Amino acid sequence: MSKKDLEKKLTPIQYKVTQEDATEPPFKNEYWDFFEDGLYVDVVSGEVLFSSKEKFDSSCGWPSFTEPLEKEKVKEKQDNSLRMTRTEVRSSEGDSHLGHVFNDGPGPNGLRYCINSASLRFIPVKDLEKEGYKEYKSLFE
């Protein structure tokens, strides 16, 4: 999709986050305190990234997940911006900037995927089939 098409498809904050590696404000984004069952997909490509089953309240002001639903759908790269070294998280297919992963999460892997709401589209369980994600419905039964 061309830059011009993406600018038409996405809101200004979605474009800044996914295409220009911006970060939305904490506690002032759509999914930081949202806990309905369903899938979180890349707002650009529609690829499945996270499940509500792995979402947790990290009190950081952004949606946090313990792991991606399918590891190969998320790629990681070193980010040296802001005078620190972090691990950036991007979608594999859409190459959208999603956020960062940190080693301070719960669970066996100890990871916290801190993700911008603006990079995500939420699909509730009741709409999975209608939206073309029928194969993931069994995760919630």
Side-chain angles (χ1 to χ4, degrees), residues 76-111:
E76 299 176 4
K77 74 180 219 181
Q78 188 171 320
D79 174 3
N80 295 312
S81 65
L82 304 178
R83 297 187 188 145
M84 66 178 100
T85 300
R86 301 178 292 171
T87 303
E88 179 189 12
V89 181
R90 301 187 74 84
S91 63
S92 293
E93 186 182 315
D95 195 34
S96 299
H97 170 73
L98 304 173
H100 293 84
V101 61
F102 301 98
N103 292 316
D104 61 359
N109 64 11
L111 298 177

Side-chain angles (χ1 to χ4, degrees), residues 34 36-39 52 121-134 136-141:
F34 179 82
E36 187 177 324
D37 282 343
L39 296 177
S52 60
R121 182 167 74 95
F122 177 75
I123 302 172
V125 172
K126 67 180 180 57
D127 294 339
L128 290 176
E129 193 166 343
K130 177 178 77 174
E131 294 278 348
Y133 299 93
K134 178 178 153 180
Y136 295 96
K137 205 167 182 178
S138 63
L139 293 173
F140 303 96
E141 294 173 349

Side-chain angles (χ1 to χ4, degrees), residues 1-140:
M1 191 173 287
S2 73
K3 179 179 175 179
K4 196 169 246 174
D5 289 340
L6 282 173
E7 287 176 331
K8 288 178 188 173
K9 175 183 177 177
L10 303 174
T11 67
I13 188 66
Q14 288 173 329
Y15 187 87
K16 283 182 182 188
V17 167
T18 62
Q19 305 305 302
E20 298 175 348
D21 305 340
T23 299
E24 65 194 358
F27 304 104
K28 294 180 180 173
N29 58 76
E30 192 171 4
Y31 302 124
W32 78 271
D33 64 348
F34 179 82
F35 289 94
E36 187 177 324
D37 282 343
L39 296 177
Y40 293 86
V41 303
D42 180 355
V43 72
V44 173
S45 67
E47 65 192 297
V48 176
L49 301 170
F50 301 97
S51 160
S52 60
K53 299 244 183 229
E54 286 75 38
K55 191 169 190 289
F56 68 99
D57 181 3
S58 68
S59 301
C60 71
W62 292 279
S64 295
F65 303 87
T66 55
E67 62 187 349
L69 190 58
E70 299 173 38
K71 187 71 174 156
E72 66 276 1
K73 298 286 185 180
V74 173
K75 59 185 178 181
E76 299 176 4
K77 74 180 219 181
Q78 188 171 320
D79 174 3
N80 295 312
S81 65
L82 304 178
R83 297 187 188 145
M84 66 178 100
T85 300
R86 301 178 292 171
T87 303
E88 179 189 12
V89 181
R90 301 187 74 84
S91 63
S92 293
E93 186 182 315
D95 195 34
S96 299
H97 170 73
L98 304 173
H100 293 84
V101 61
F102 301 98
N103 292 316
D104 61 359
N109 64 11
L111 298 177
R112 172 175 58 98
Y113 286 81
C114 186
I115 307 298
N116 289 283
S117 290
S119 66
L120 302 172
R121 182 167 74 95
F122 177 75
I123 302 172
V125 172
K126 67 180 180 57
D127 294 339
L128 290 176
E129 193 166 343
K130 177 178 77 174
E131 294 278 348
Y133 299 93
K134 178 178 153 180
E135 66 270 26
Y136 295 96
K137 205 167 182 178
S138 63
L139 293 173
F140 303 96

